[in-house]
Amino acid sequence: MHSRPTVSSVTTPAPLERHPHWRPALLLLVFLGGMAGTLCRYWLEGVVPRPLGLPLPTLAINLVGAFLLGLLLEALLRTGPDRGKRRSARLLLGTGLLGGFTTYSTFAIEAVGLGIDGDLGWAALYVGISVMGGILLSFAGIAAASALHRRRASRPRPHQGGARP
């Protein structure tokens, strides 16, 4: 007697596909990207000024990172499914580089530090700009990638082979 395939047997990917994060090559991409992103953040923390002791370096890093992550993920999404080179790019650049570049933990500690120091107004402003700015800049990155995709799609494609009409 033959058994009929079930929905789960047809839609469940193979074990390695179900857990691509277990693949050493993909882990290496995240590690290398994270290392580069962390080094970039460390360097910027040292060169961006902190007027009045305000955490502007972290604010700038997180806002730029939010924009770039929105841009990257939308651009990758518009080129096809999350497989092969697109998955590698997402893991290297998104999870690794931008994940290492941006920093929620430093943001949280700096916000608490401002509050403990009695700068509740600055702390609230820092949190508000970080969260709302990050959301808005993520949307801006998505919109920018979407606009770039539409612009490319509307360009006439060069004639490929054969007789011209």
Side-chain angles (χ1 to χ4, degrees), residues 80-138:
D82 187 41
R83 282 187 244 141
K85 290 180 181 179
R86 282 181 294 277
R87 177 178 286 164
S88 295
R90 177 181 58 80
L91 291 173
L92 175 69
L93 301 173
T95 305
L97 182 75
L98 293 173
F101 182 64
T102 59
T103 172
Y104 182 82
S105 57
T106 302
F107 154 69
I109 292 296
E110 289 173 342
V112 168
L114 286 169
I116 288 172
D117 291 344
D119 296 325
L120 294 178
W122 283 118
L125 187 62
Y126 177 54
V127 169
I129 291 172
S130 293
V131 173
M132 292 309 297
I135 291 169
L136 292 172
L137 284 167
S138 292

Side-chain angles (χ1 to χ4, degrees), residues 21-86:
H21 56 278
W22 290 354
R23 292 185 187 165
L26 296 179
L27 288 172
L28 182 62
L29 289 174
V30 173
F31 171 77
L32 293 173
M35 186 173 61
T38 302
L39 289 171
C40 288
R41 181 181 74 232
Y42 176 77
W43 178 78
L44 282 171
E45 288 276 353
V47 299
V48 175
R50 295 169 100 41
L52 304 173
L54 297 175
L56 292 185
T58 303
L59 178 64
I61 286 165
N62 286 340
L63 293 177
V64 167
F67 175 81
L68 292 175
L69 189 59
L71 181 79
L72 172 71
L73 294 181
E74 183 68 14
L76 290 173
L77 176 69
R78 292 201 172 252
T79 61
D82 187 41
R83 282 187 244 141
K85 290 180 181 179
R86 282 181 294 277

